[in-house]
mmCIF file with all atom_site columns, all heavy atoms in Angstrom:
data_model
loop_
_atom_site.group_PDB
_atom_site.id
_atom_site.type_symbol
_atom_site.label_atom_id
_atom_site.label_alt_id
_atom_site.label_comp_id
_atom_site.label_asym_id
_atom_site.label_entity_id
_atom_site.label_seq_id
_atom_site.pdbx_PDB_ins_code
_atom_site.Cartn_x
_atom_site.Cartn_y
_atom_site.Cartn_z
_atom_site.occupancy
_atom_site.B_iso_or_equiv
_atom_site.pdbx_formal_charge
_atom_site.auth_seq_id
_atom_site.auth_comp_id
_atom_site.auth_asym_id
_atom_site.auth_atom_id
_atom_site.pdbx_PDB_model_num
ATOM 1   N N   . LYS A 1 35 ? -0.681  -6.554 23.082 1.00 94.00 ? 35 LYS A N   1
ATOM 2   C CA  . LYS A 1 35 ? -1.219  -6.898 24.403 1.00 94.00 ? 35 LYS A CA  1
ATOM 3   C C   . LYS A 1 35 ? -2.332  -5.965 24.859 1.00 94.00 ? 35 LYS A C   1
ATOM 4   O O   . LYS A 1 35 ? -2.276  -5.378 25.942 1.00 94.00 ? 35 LYS A O   1
ATOM 5   C CB  . LYS A 1 35 ? -0.083  -6.940 25.431 1.00 94.00 ? 35 LYS A CB  1
ATOM 6   C CG  . LYS A 1 35 ? 1.020   -7.930 25.052 1.00 94.00 ? 35 LYS A CG  1
ATOM 7   C CD  . LYS A 1 35 ? 2.070   -8.079 26.134 1.00 94.00 ? 35 LYS A CD  1
ATOM 8   C CE  . LYS A 1 35 ? 3.329   -8.751 25.573 1.00 94.00 ? 35 LYS A CE  1
ATOM 9   N NZ  . LYS A 1 35 ? 3.071   -9.933 24.729 1.00 94.00 ? 35 LYS A NZ  1
ATOM 10  N N   . MET A 1 36 ? -3.322  -5.849 23.964 1.00 93.00 ? 36 MET A N   1
ATOM 11  C CA  . MET A 1 36 ? -4.496  -5.037 24.310 1.00 93.00 ? 36 MET A CA  1
ATOM 12  C C   . MET A 1 36 ? -5.761  -5.838 24.006 1.00 93.00 ? 36 MET A C   1
ATOM 13  O O   . MET A 1 36 ? -5.706  -6.850 23.310 1.00 93.00 ? 36 MET A O   1
ATOM 14  C CB  . MET A 1 36 ? -4.543  -3.779 23.444 1.00 93.00 ? 36 MET A CB  1
ATOM 15  C CG  . MET A 1 36 ? -3.440  -2.787 23.726 1.00 93.00 ? 36 MET A CG  1
ATOM 16  S SD  . MET A 1 36 ? -3.508  -1.482 22.486 1.00 93.00 ? 36 MET A SD  1
ATOM 17  C CE  . MET A 1 36 ? -5.042  -0.687 22.922 1.00 93.00 ? 36 MET A CE  1
ATOM 18  N N   . ALA A 1 37 ? -6.887  -5.348 24.501 1.00 92.00 ? 37 ALA A N   1
ATOM 19  C CA  . ALA A 1 37 ? -8.168  -5.952 24.136 1.00 92.00 ? 37 ALA A CA  1
ATOM 20  C C   . ALA A 1 37 ? -8.520  -5.534 22.715 1.00 92.00 ? 37 ALA A C   1
ATOM 21  O O   . ALA A 1 37 ? -8.225  -4.406 22.308 1.00 92.00 ? 37 ALA A O   1
ATOM 22  C CB  . ALA A 1 37 ? -9.247  -5.497 25.101 1.00 92.00 ? 37 ALA A CB  1
ATOM 23  N N   . PRO A 1 38 ? -9.165  -6.428 21.947 1.00 94.00 ? 38 PRO A N   1
ATOM 24  C CA  . PRO A 1 38 ? -9.536  -6.123 20.567 1.00 94.00 ? 38 PRO A CA  1
ATOM 25  C C   . PRO A 1 38 ? -10.380 -4.850 20.443 1.00 94.00 ? 38 PRO A C   1
ATOM 26  O O   . PRO A 1 38 ? -10.206 -4.074 19.501 1.00 94.00 ? 38 PRO A O   1
ATOM 27  C CB  . PRO A 1 38 ? -10.353 -7.349 20.151 1.00 94.00 ? 38 PRO A CB  1
ATOM 28  C CG  . PRO A 1 38 ? -9.843  -8.455 20.988 1.00 94.00 ? 38 PRO A CG  1
ATOM 29  C CD  . PRO A 1 38 ? -9.472  -7.834 22.303 1.00 94.00 ? 38 PRO A CD  1
ATOM 30  N N   . SER A 1 39 ? -11.279 -4.639 21.379 1.00 93.00 ? 39 SER A N   1
ATOM 31  C CA  . SER A 1 39 ? -12.153 -3.468 21.290 1.00 93.00 ? 39 SER A CA  1
ATOM 32  C C   . SER A 1 39 ? -11.359 -2.170 21.417 1.00 93.00 ? 39 SER A C   1
ATOM 33  O O   . SER A 1 39 ? -11.631 -1.186 20.724 1.00 93.00 ? 39 SER A O   1
ATOM 34  C CB  . SER A 1 39 ? -13.245 -3.533 22.344 1.00 93.00 ? 39 SER A CB  1
ATOM 35  O OG  . SER A 1 39 ? -12.696 -3.829 23.610 1.00 93.00 ? 39 SER A OG  1
ATOM 36  N N   . ALA A 1 40 ? -10.371 -2.182 22.299 1.00 94.00 ? 40 ALA A N   1
ATOM 37  C CA  . ALA A 1 40 ? -9.524  -0.998 22.464 1.00 94.00 ? 40 ALA A CA  1
ATOM 38  C C   . ALA A 1 40 ? -8.713  -0.749 21.196 1.00 94.00 ? 40 ALA A C   1
ATOM 39  O O   . ALA A 1 40 ? -8.561  0.398  20.741 1.00 94.00 ? 40 ALA A O   1
ATOM 40  C CB  . ALA A 1 40 ? -8.599  -1.168 23.655 1.00 94.00 ? 40 ALA A CB  1
ATOM 41  N N   . MET A 1 41 ? -8.215  -1.834 20.618 1.00 95.00 ? 41 MET A N   1
ATOM 42  C CA  . MET A 1 41 ? -7.440  -1.726 19.381 1.00 95.00 ? 41 MET A CA  1
ATOM 43  C C   . MET A 1 41 ? -8.295  -1.150 18.262 1.00 95.00 ? 41 MET A C   1
ATOM 44  O O   . MET A 1 41 ? -7.867  -0.260 17.528 1.00 95.00 ? 41 MET A O   1
ATOM 45  C CB  . MET A 1 41 ? -6.926  -3.112 18.989 1.00 95.00 ? 41 MET A CB  1
ATOM 46  C CG  . MET A 1 41 ? -6.130  -3.143 17.700 1.00 95.00 ? 41 MET A CG  1
ATOM 47  S SD  . MET A 1 41 ? -4.728  -2.031 17.698 1.00 95.00 ? 41 MET A SD  1
ATOM 48  C CE  . MET A 1 41 ? -3.665  -2.848 18.888 1.00 95.00 ? 41 MET A CE  1
ATOM 49  N N   . LEU A 1 42 ? -9.510  -1.661 18.166 1.00 95.00 ? 42 LEU A N   1
ATOM 50  C CA  . LEU A 1 42 ? -10.422 -1.192 17.119 1.00 95.00 ? 42 LEU A CA  1
ATOM 51  C C   . LEU A 1 42 ? -10.619 0.318  17.218 1.00 95.00 ? 42 LEU A C   1
ATOM 52  O O   . LEU A 1 42 ? -10.604 1.024  16.206 1.00 95.00 ? 42 LEU A O   1
ATOM 53  C CB  . LEU A 1 42 ? -11.767 -1.906 17.253 1.00 95.00 ? 42 LEU A CB  1
ATOM 54  C CG  . LEU A 1 42 ? -12.715 -1.739 16.073 1.00 95.00 ? 42 LEU A CG  1
ATOM 55  C CD1 . LEU A 1 42 ? -12.157 -2.422 14.841 1.00 95.00 ? 42 LEU A CD1 1
ATOM 56  C CD2 . LEU A 1 42 ? -14.085 -2.320 16.411 1.00 95.00 ? 42 LEU A CD2 1
ATOM 57  N N   . GLU A 1 43 ? -10.780 0.789  18.441 1.00 94.00 ? 43 GLU A N   1
ATOM 58  C CA  . GLU A 1 43 ? -11.008 2.218  18.642 1.00 94.00 ? 43 GLU A CA  1
ATOM 59  C C   . GLU A 1 43 ? -9.786  3.043  18.217 1.00 94.00 ? 43 GLU A C   1
ATOM 60  O O   . GLU A 1 43 ? -9.915  4.083  17.577 1.00 94.00 ? 43 GLU A O   1
ATOM 61  C CB  . GLU A 1 43 ? -11.338 2.474  20.111 1.00 94.00 ? 43 GLU A CB  1
ATOM 62  C CG  . GLU A 1 43 ? -12.042 3.810  20.329 1.00 94.00 ? 43 GLU A CG  1
ATOM 63  C CD  . GLU A 1 43 ? -12.430 3.984  21.786 1.00 94.00 ? 43 GLU A CD  1
ATOM 64  O OE1 . GLU A 1 43 ? -12.697 2.963  22.459 1.00 94.00 ? 43 GLU A OE1 1
ATOM 65  O OE2 . GLU A 1 43 ? -12.445 5.135  22.249 1.00 94.00 ? 43 GLU A OE2 1
ATOM 66  N N   . ARG A 1 44 ? -8.609  2.551  18.536 1.00 94.00 ? 44 ARG A N   1
ATOM 67  C CA  . ARG A 1 44 ? -7.393  3.270  18.156 1.00 94.00 ? 44 ARG A CA  1
ATOM 68  C C   . ARG A 1 44 ? -7.240  3.330  16.633 1.00 94.00 ? 44 ARG A C   1
ATOM 69  O O   . ARG A 1 44 ? -6.941  4.384  16.069 1.00 94.00 ? 44 ARG A O   1
ATOM 70  C CB  . ARG A 1 44 ? -6.164  2.597  18.763 1.00 94.00 ? 44 ARG A CB  1
ATOM 71  C CG  . ARG A 1 44 ? -5.819  3.092  20.155 1.00 94.00 ? 44 ARG A CG  1
ATOM 72  C CD  . ARG A 1 44 ? -4.530  2.446  20.612 1.00 94.00 ? 44 ARG A CD  1
ATOM 73  N NE  . ARG A 1 44 ? -4.150  2.855  21.948 1.00 94.00 ? 44 ARG A NE  1
ATOM 74  C CZ  . ARG A 1 44 ? -3.266  3.819  22.208 1.00 94.00 ? 44 ARG A CZ  1
ATOM 75  N NH1 . ARG A 1 44 ? -2.702  4.489  21.229 1.00 94.00 ? 44 ARG A NH1 1
ATOM 76  N NH2 . ARG A 1 44 ? -2.966  4.118  23.446 1.00 94.00 ? 44 ARG A NH2 1
ATOM 77  N N   . VAL A 1 45 ? -7.451  2.195  15.999 1.00 97.00 ? 45 VAL A N   1
ATOM 78  C CA  . VAL A 1 45 ? -7.300  2.153  14.542 1.00 97.00 ? 45 VAL A CA  1
ATOM 79  C C   . VAL A 1 45 ? -8.313  3.101  13.888 1.00 97.00 ? 45 VAL A C   1
ATOM 80  O O   . VAL A 1 45 ? -7.975  3.861  12.977 1.00 97.00 ? 45 VAL A O   1
ATOM 81  C CB  . VAL A 1 45 ? -7.467  0.712  14.006 1.00 97.00 ? 45 VAL A CB  1
ATOM 82  C CG1 . VAL A 1 45 ? -7.492  0.699  12.480 1.00 97.00 ? 45 VAL A CG1 1
ATOM 83  C CG2 . VAL A 1 45 ? -6.338  -0.170 14.510 1.00 97.00 ? 45 VAL A CG2 1
ATOM 84  N N   . ARG A 1 46 ? -9.550  3.079  14.368 1.00 95.00 ? 46 ARG A N   1
ATOM 85  C CA  . ARG A 1 46 ? -10.574 3.977  13.855 1.00 95.00 ? 46 ARG A CA  1
ATOM 86  C C   . ARG A 1 46 ? -10.144 5.438  13.956 1.00 95.00 ? 46 ARG A C   1
ATOM 87  O O   . ARG A 1 46 ? -10.317 6.228  13.034 1.00 95.00 ? 46 ARG A O   1
ATOM 88  C CB  . ARG A 1 46 ? -11.878 3.808  14.677 1.00 95.00 ? 46 ARG A CB  1
ATOM 89  C CG  . ARG A 1 46 ? -12.624 2.571  14.379 1.00 95.00 ? 46 ARG A CG  1
ATOM 90  C CD  . ARG A 1 46 ? -13.585 2.796  13.209 1.00 95.00 ? 46 ARG A CD  1
ATOM 91  N NE  . ARG A 1 46 ? -13.923 1.530  12.590 1.00 95.00 ? 46 ARG A NE  1
ATOM 92  C CZ  . ARG A 1 46 ? -14.821 0.669  13.091 1.00 95.00 ? 46 ARG A CZ  1
ATOM 93  N NH1 . ARG A 1 46 ? -15.482 0.976  14.192 1.00 95.00 ? 46 ARG A NH1 1
ATOM 94  N NH2 . ARG A 1 46 ? -15.054 -0.455 12.483 1.00 95.00 ? 46 ARG A NH2 1
ATOM 95  N N   . LYS A 1 47 ? -9.590  5.778  15.110 1.00 95.00 ? 47 LYS A N   1
ATOM 96  C CA  . LYS A 1 47 ? -9.175  7.167  15.321 1.00 95.00 ? 47 LYS A CA  1
ATOM 97  C C   . LYS A 1 47 ? -8.029  7.548  14.401 1.00 95.00 ? 47 LYS A C   1
ATOM 98  O O   . LYS A 1 47 ? -7.993  8.670  13.894 1.00 95.00 ? 47 LYS A O   1
ATOM 99  C CB  . LYS A 1 47 ? -8.793  7.385  16.784 1.00 95.00 ? 47 LYS A CB  1
ATOM 100 C CG  . LYS A 1 47 ? -10.024 7.555  17.648 1.00 95.00 ? 47 LYS A CG  1
ATOM 101 C CD  . LYS A 1 47 ? -9.711  7.978  19.060 1.00 95.00 ? 47 LYS A CD  1
ATOM 102 C CE  . LYS A 1 47 ? -10.997 8.073  19.867 1.00 95.00 ? 47 LYS A CE  1
ATOM 103 N NZ  . LYS A 1 47 ? -10.778 7.811  21.304 1.00 95.00 ? 47 LYS A NZ  1
#
Side-chain angles (χ1 to χ4, degrees):
Chain A
K35 303 186 196 315
M36 292 173 68
S39 49
M41 179 56 70
L42 192 67
E43 200 176 330
R44 272 185 181 262
V45 173
R46 285 272 158 79
K47 281 189 182 151

